[in-house]
Amino acid sequence: MIARMIYHVPVFGWMLKEAVSGSTTAKVLFIVNLLLVWLLAILAFGYPAIIIPALTAVPLMFVVLILITKG
């Protein structure tokens, strides 16, 4: 249900749907588009556009480190 709602977002939805069910080229182009949007955000907003994704990745890295040390 959530995936269907996300797929109905005008621009991002069809790209995500194509990346999930499409060819390898579509997946690579989706990642390239995400990187280019991030680069545009860095150019527009500067330093916060670099820091905010890093801060959101911190909980994920904590989980990964705990799973590694858990064995």
Side-chain angles (χ1 to χ4, degrees):
M1 181 172 148
I2 293 174
R4 287 181 52 189
M5 287 181 4
I6 293 172
Y7 288 160
H8 284 34
V9 174
V11 174
F12 185 70
W14 65 267
M15 287 191 317
L16 185 62
K17 186 176 183 180
E18 187 69 24
V20 169
S21 62
S23 65
T24 305
T25 306
K27 293 175 176 120
V28 170
L29 289 175
F30 180 74
I31 292 171
V32 168
N33 281 332
L34 287 179
L35 290 174
L36 288 175
V37 166
W38 187 36
L39 180 66
L40 243 132
I42 291 171
L43 291 174
F45 302 113
Y47 196 60
I50 298 171
I51 295 299
I52 290 173
L55 289 176
T56 57
V58 168
L60 178 67
M61 288 300 116
F62 276 148
V63 170
V64 169
L65 288 173
I66 290 169
L67 290 175
I68 289 172
T69 58
K70 186 179 175 183

